[in-house]
Amino acid sequence: MPSRAEKLTRGRTSAGIVAQLLLTSAAMVGIDMSGRRVLVMGVTNKHSLGWAIAGRLIAAGATVGFTYQGERLKGSVEGLAEGLDDCPVLPCDVTVEEELSRVFAELGERWGSLDGIVHAIAFAPREAMLGRYVDTTSADWVTALTVSAYSLVAIARHAEPLMNEGAAMVTLTYYAAEKVVPKYNVMGVAKSALEASVRYLAYDLGPKGIRVNAVSAGPVKTVAARSIPGFMAMYAKVAEMAPLQRGVSHEEVGNLGLYLLSPLSSGTTGETVYVDSGYHVMGMQLPEE
Ligand code: NAP
């Protein structure tokens, strides 16, 4: 059966001409990231959302590199990177300025310039997510905000001299930045700071043609997610309440990351974009009739 666009093209109306254009250009739209170099920061294993985005970048032809925190993750990330062309795999604790300086100096020597950064990093001490938010200690607050939000600012500062016009940064956030999600506590506050930082960084870097956006993902099973108290209940709740009646896959998160790093999103910056089966649009759930 012919599509609506195909039926329209049969006429000589202006709608037919527009539809003809749409059909022609649709065949040509694709995401080609070949020749672009993207650093993905914060991969633990094949379940990491950083790896999900990296996978889509690689499929679109990009050259990727990785950073990981500490020796413990070296083997796992090197294993993932095996067989990839021109793929630096570097250690980097984002709370240590010297490590950030070393990573971007090494990338400058190896790649010369950068077209994208994926920031897939977050941490809060578990004690801070077990009890009440009101009991958060100053030390836990500083740790959560430093690792999960300030690190994006520090990375942007170190990366700026290497970033080409048209480059993009993408970070990962969660709905608890906007609304109360029980147990998320100080991590929700860190995600609010992260999303605000996305807007300020977009303003600072925009004149150089560098974009900064956040992917707000629904719950996906990863190491970090499973460490959140009550994560499996959150996971089930989304499938129950979201308009799509299911959770989101790693690949769907990866696709949004790819889009925000690619020229297809060239007019979008400072934005938090959701991939959560529509969960965040819901205001209330009623019992089934
Ligand atoms: P993940 O695989 O555990 O990735 C988190 C990464 O952050 C880990 O590699 C972790 O390393 C790294 N990290 C923590 N502290 C660091 C530091 N000081 N320096 C460098 N790296 C550090 O979990 P993920 O779920 O993919 O998390 C990626 C991002 O997605 C996070 O920002 C998370 O909040 C966000 N997100 C996740 C979900 C979800 O449901 N999974 C939903 C929305 C947003 P270690 O393993 O050594 O700690």
Side-chain angles (χ1 to χ4, degrees), residues 5 8-9 11-26:
L8 279 171
T9 55
R12 294 211 174 262
T13 60
S14 57
I17 292 162
V18 170
Q20 179 66 58
L21 276 174
L22 283 174
L23 275 180
T24 318
S25 54

Side-chain angles (χ1 to χ4, degrees), residues 156-234:
R157 189 173 55 252
H158 282 271
E160 185 180 358
L162 287 184
M163 286 208 275
N164 293 320
E165 190 173 345
M169 295 182 73
V170 164
T171 186
L172 284 130
T173 185
Y174 178 56
Y175 183 57
E178 258 183 66
K179 302 283 180 192
V180 172
V181 174
K183 302 292 181 204
Y184 218 77
N185 294 358
V186 71
M187 187 56 93
V189 176
K191 292 299 191 192
S192 299
L194 181 71
E195 291 180 13
S197 295
V198 162
R199 293 185 283 274
Y200 280 91
L201 291 172
Y203 174 74
D204 282 352
L205 303 182
K208 290 191 167 177
I210 300 166
R211 299 179 298 109
V212 188
N213 290 292
V215 166
S216 186
V220 179
K221 290 176 194 163
T222 64
V223 173
R226 285 177 185 276
S227 71
I228 298 166
F231 171 78
M232 288 313 293
M234 284 163 62

